[in-house]
Amino acid sequence: MSGTPLASFSLTHVHYDPTDPISLACAWLALLPQGLCIAYVTLIYTTREVEIGLTFGGQLACEALNWLLKRYFKQARPDLIHALHKGYGMPSSHAQFVSYFAVTVTLFLLLRHSPSTREVEEELTSSVADADGAADSSEGLQRRRGKSEVVVVNGVEKPLGPDPALDGQLLNGNRGPDHGPPEISPVYRLQLHHPKVTHALLSIAAICSAALISVSRVYLQYHTTNQVLVGAAAGIAFAFAWFAATEWARRVGLIEWILELELVRKARIRDLACEEDLVEVGWQVWEEKRRKRIMAAARRKSK
């Protein structure tokens, strides 16, 4: 071992000018594709969403295409980096990677992702309006009618949640300023009323990030401008092709058929990302657990 020359792990090894802050920032940007791969694997494991798996599959296929293109063109990197790194520079793998990701995210958000978020606010607004007509009293008797939990407040039956105001009455005796209806954040309100606006903003952010990473490869002299442009073009073209292929697979029922396979079902693979707001779905699960805790506390208090 002592006589063997050491090698550098080039996947995370970035050369930059230590006297140039912009060069340092570009070096950090060069690590974002690796970070995206970690994010892919984490999201696939935690959500089991088939859409994320399809996107990651396309990302890996895009990288395989880049490997083939580099060995077809066999064009060297710029002289400074060519002396330090082995491998070809045409097309830029970074530019192709992030271009595929940015375009795929944009196509998903603008064409495939359509959660029904407006109904969420309508239900919340209706719940808060009902709570505003309830008396500010803590004297209530909880009882079960069929399968629905109700509470009697001053002789008036009200459902137990999702109603922050009524829950505050049960646990705190009255609905003071600290227990009134929660305000909907401006960001979430924008998402509810104008989902296409938030989707467009996220798409712009993804495209700008891809552009920054691509420019950083030229700034660090890892690639020429042409190498970056060809890489970006390859990534964009592959993103459209992969999106069309997965859309076809959805339309003919191939994705649905795969999801019905026993092994896939045992892995808990699902397909909710296109039609559901995963943040809202998680919030509803949390709210259900919260209501159960409030009901249990109300039972103990009424005894």
Side-chain angles (χ1 to χ4, degrees):
M1 179 67 180
S2 58
T4 303
L6 298 179
S8 171
F9 187 59
S10 60
L11 184 64
T12 56
H13 189 177
V14 183
H15 286 92
Y16 69 97
D17 181 357
T19 64
D20 183 1
I22 297 178
S23 183
L24 175 60
C26 290
W28 280 105
L29 287 173
L31 299 179
L32 283 182
Q34 290 89 324
L36 284 175
C37 287
I38 295 173
Y40 271 128
V41 174
T42 302
L43 288 172
I44 291 172
Y45 178 76
T46 55
T47 68
R48 310 300 172 95
E49 278 293 330
V50 68
E51 183 66 24
I52 301 175
L54 289 172
T55 303
F56 188 42
Q59 191 81 75
L60 295 178
C62 188
E63 283 296 288
L65 174 63
N66 180 267
W67 187 88
L68 293 174
L69 289 175
K70 283 188 174 182
R71 279 145 188 82
Y72 173 79
F73 290 111
K74 295 182 178 180
Q75 187 178 110
R77 298 176 183 271
D79 293 340
L80 177 62
I81 297 300
H82 179 67
L84 301 172
H85 282 272
K86 296 180 180 179
Y88 302 115
M90 171 68 86
S92 167
S93 59
H94 275 72
Q96 187 169 331
F97 186 104
V98 295
S99 295
Y100 164 86
F101 176 79
V103 173
T104 299
V105 167
T106 300
L107 291 173
F108 170 75
L109 290 175
L110 298 183
L111 301 180
R112 187 173 289 173
H113 185 53
S114 56
S116 55
T117 52
R118 185 174 296 276
E119 288 80 357
V120 174
E121 188 184 30
E122 289 176 354
E123 293 178 3
L124 177 60
T125 303
S126 175
S127 175
V128 171
D130 290 343
D132 287 338
D136 293 338
S137 171
S138 62
E139 297 298 326
L141 176 63
Q142 178 184 326
R143 60 190 176 87
R144 178 175 292 276
R145 173 181 292 173
K147 294 184 178 180
S148 62
E149 293 288 348
V150 297
V151 64
V152 180
V153 180
N154 287 349
V156 180
E157 290 184 357
K158 303 295 291 183
L160 189 58
D163 192 329
L166 188 55
D167 294 345
Q169 290 178 19
L170 288 174
L171 293 180
N172 299 282
N174 57 64
R175 195 185 72 187
D178 295 333
H179 304 97
E183 290 293 331
I184 301 176
S185 70
V187 174
Y188 191 52
R189 186 178 294 278
L190 176 65
Q191 181 180 352
L192 289 171
H193 287 293
H194 307 285
K196 293 301 182 183
V197 175
T198 56
H199 290 174
L201 292 175
L202 289 172
S203 300
I204 292 172
I207 293 171
C208 289
S209 298
L212 281 174
I213 294 172
S214 299
V215 170
S216 73
R217 303 305 288 172
V218 178
Y219 192 88
L220 291 173
Q221 301 184 51
Y222 272 79
H223 295 282
T224 64
T225 301
N226 286 339
Q227 290 173 352
V228 166
L229 291 177
V230 172
I236 292 170
F238 191 85
F240 276 101
W242 189 260
F243 187 86
T246 55
E247 186 65 24
W248 172 83
R250 287 183 175 280
R251 290 181 183 275
V252 301
L254 180 59
I255 300 299
E256 185 177 355
W257 176 79
I258 292 174
L259 291 174
E260 291 299 323
L261 296 176
E262 183 178 358
L263 182 62
V264 175
R265 288 183 56 81
K266 286 183 177 180
R268 299 294 193 268
I269 306 299
R270 63 188 188 184
D271 189 19
L272 290 175
C274 297
E275 299 177 356
E276 297 284 351
D277 183 341
L278 297 184
V279 174
E280 179 60 28
V281 170
W283 173 254
Q284 290 176 4
V285 172
W286 165 253
E287 280 291 277
E288 181 64 25
K289 291 183 177 181
R290 172 179 170 273
R291 288 198 297 270
K292 289 180 179 179
R293 290 198 305 269
I294 291 173
M295 289 157 53
R299 288 193 188 96
R300 292 193 298 268
K301 188 173 182 179
S302 62
K303 291 181 179 179

